């Protein structure tokens, strides 16, 4: 499947092609159009993260990087896609409408195939926690599945304090998370521009927050869209564990840096986790309501 758009920070056009990949391949980015002229393969893994300011970046600027990967990674994790090769011709993923909805619709349009190999996942064995000022993130063991509990607390009265908890399943992800858009403060726009960020941001791909109200004429998609988008980002960043997680994630005033940081803390001690293997796999049927198939299918399996 192919998608095109512009990067929310660079403003540059980008095209991505999602290719099927075999079992145990994981998610990788094939970066073309690099500064060196050589294509570069970058693993979607926390160890390859080079920046977490306003977005998550893998690779490096000298030999080739891919920025703002969190929305696509979130869609892949949310739908249970374990193996895919993402070909991209520029340094930043297209932002599309600012959410993961169009990625989800495109993936559902081509459908998923279950791999023959048993699925592996990361089982959290003991609590892991990191803190930064008043912010914190933690992972805890649970009996099954992956649960997220995310809380935000902004000074802006438009956003304020909000908390949402959910068990991550493809159905819940499609319904509750995929459509939540990225957001930013109007008062910060000039500062972002000077720092080289948000050059492609617009009301078509970002919820713009004014002093007293949301600027977008259509308003919010959900009353608590802000915290839902923070969950979307957390799912995408935690997908960089390399395997799905069996555990519970909790964060307060977190972000990309904290999301990646909790993975670093988890893997810093082998006693924190185990790699376990399933005895079988099942998946949801392909979602036909988004229209005819658009291209090749991405392989996936869902516990």
């Amino acid at each position: 499947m192919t998608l095109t758009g512009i990067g929310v920070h660079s403003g540059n056009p980008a095209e991505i092609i999602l290719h099927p990949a075999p079992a145990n391949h994981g998610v990788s980015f094939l970066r073309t159009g690099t500064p060196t002229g050589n294509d570069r393969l970058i693993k979607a893994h926390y160890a390859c993260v080079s920046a977490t300011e306003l977005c998550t970046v893998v690779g490096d600027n000298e030999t080739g990087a891919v920025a703002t990967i969190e929305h696509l990674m979130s869609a892949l994790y949310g739908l249970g896609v374990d193996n895919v090769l993402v070909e991209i011709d520029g340094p930043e993923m297209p932002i599309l409408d600012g959410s993961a909805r169009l990625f989800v619709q495109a993936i559902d349009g081509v459908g998923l195939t279950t791999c023959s190999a048993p699925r592996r996942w990361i089982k959290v064995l003991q609590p892991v926690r990191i803190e930064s000022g008043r912010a914190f993130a933690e992972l805890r063991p649970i009996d099954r599945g992956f649960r997220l509990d995310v809380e935000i607390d902004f000074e802006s009265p438009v956003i304020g304090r909000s908390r949402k908890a959910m068990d991550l399943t493809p159905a819940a992800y499609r319904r509750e998370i995929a459509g939540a858009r990225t957001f930013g403060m109007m008062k910060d726009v000039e500062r972002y521009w000077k720092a080289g960020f948000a050059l492609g941001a617009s009301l078509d791909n970002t919820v713009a927050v004014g002093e007293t109200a949301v600027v977008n004429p259509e308003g919010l998609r959900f009353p608590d869209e802000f915290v839902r988008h923070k969950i979307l980002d957390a799912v995408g960043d935690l997908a960089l564990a390399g395997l799905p997680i069996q555990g519970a994630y909790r964060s307060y005033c977190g972000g990309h840096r904290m999301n990646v940081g909790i993975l670093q803390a988890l893997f810093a001690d082998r006693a924190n986790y185990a790699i376990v293997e399933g005895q079988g796999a099942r998946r949801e049927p392909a979602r036909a309501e988004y229209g005819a198939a658009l291209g090749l299918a991405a392989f996936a399996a869902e516990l």
Side-chain angles (χ1 to χ4, degrees):
M1 47 170 275
T2 302
L3 290 166
T4 60
I6 64 167
V8 69
H9 293 302
S10 66
N12 294 328
E15 177 180 271
I16 65 166
I17 305 171
L18 268 60
H19 299 282
N24 300 318
H25 172 277
V27 180
S28 293
F29 292 90
L30 177 61
R31 171 67 203 282
T32 65
T34 67
T36 65
N38 299 317
D39 295 351
R40 184 180 181 198
L41 192 64
I42 309 169
K43 192 73 174 174
H45 193 265
Y46 75 94
C48 299
V49 172
S50 57
T52 53
E53 184 180 2
L54 297 182
C55 67
T56 302
V57 183
V58 290
D60 59 81
N61 292 330
E62 289 71 28
T63 59
V66 183
T68 320
I69 65 170
E70 58 270 16
H71 296 177
L72 173 62
M73 293 301 299
S74 183
L76 295 173
Y77 194 164
L79 299 189
V81 181
D82 298 306
N83 305 291
V84 62
L85 177 65
V86 183
E87 182 179 350
I88 180 169
D89 63 356
E92 186 180 15
M93 292 288 299
I95 190 63
L96 304 180
D97 73 343
S99 74
R101 185 173 64 180
L102 297 182
F103 290 123
V104 168
Q105 290 178 354
I107 293 168
D108 282 339
V110 300
L112 306 180
T113 299
T114 301
C115 296
S116 58
R119 196 183 202 198
R120 296 183 302 149
W121 68 95
I122 297 160
K123 182 177 182 178
V124 179
L125 299 180
Q126 59 187 15
V128 179
R129 180 182 173 102
I130 60 172
E131 299 178 358
S132 178
R134 64 174 184 156
F136 70 83
E138 61 184 17
L139 282 166
R140 294 181 293 102
I142 55 175
D143 292 337
R144 58 178 298 174
F146 183 39
R147 183 166 181 79
L148 297 109
D149 184 345
V150 172
E151 186 173 3
I152 60 173
D153 189 0
F154 283 79
E155 293 183 1
S156 165
V158 181
I159 303 175
R161 188 168 185 170
S162 183
R163 182 176 179 179
K164 182 174 176 60
M166 63 176 292
D167 294 313
L168 187 68
T169 66
Y173 184 85
R174 289 186 183 96
R175 181 179 64 251
E176 301 182 34
I177 302 302
R181 296 163 294 174
T182 191
F183 58 93
M185 311 288 188
M186 289 295 295
K187 65 181 179 63
D188 295 329
V189 168
E190 187 173 350
R191 176 169 61 87
Y192 289 156
W193 286 346
K194 288 180 178 179
F197 293 107
L199 301 178
S202 72
L203 296 182
D204 293 327
N205 57 40
T206 304
V207 176
V209 181
E211 292 186 4
T212 60
V214 168
V215 176
N216 304 59
E218 74 279 10
L220 296 175
R221 292 178 175 174
F222 309 93
D224 58 349
E225 185 168 2
F226 303 112
V227 72
R228 289 177 190 244
H229 186 78
K230 286 295 187 178
I231 292 178
L232 186 155
D233 281 346
V235 171
D237 290 335
L238 295 174
L240 298 175
L243 293 171
I245 296 172
Q246 179 186 329
Y249 178 68
R250 168 90 167 97
S251 74
Y252 173 72
C253 294
H256 301 301
R257 183 171 63 86
M258 297 292 284
N259 296 336
V260 174
I262 196 64
L263 293 180
Q264 294 169 336
L266 174 70
F267 291 110
D269 187 341
R270 193 63 179 81
N272 291 337
Y273 68 96
I275 307 297
V276 295
E277 187 175 275
Q279 298 303 310
R282 63 177 176 83
R283 66 176 178 87
E284 292 183 334
R287 302 270 291 184
E289 65 266 34
Y290 291 125
L294 304 177
L296 296 171
F299 287 87
E302 178 204 342
L303 285 173

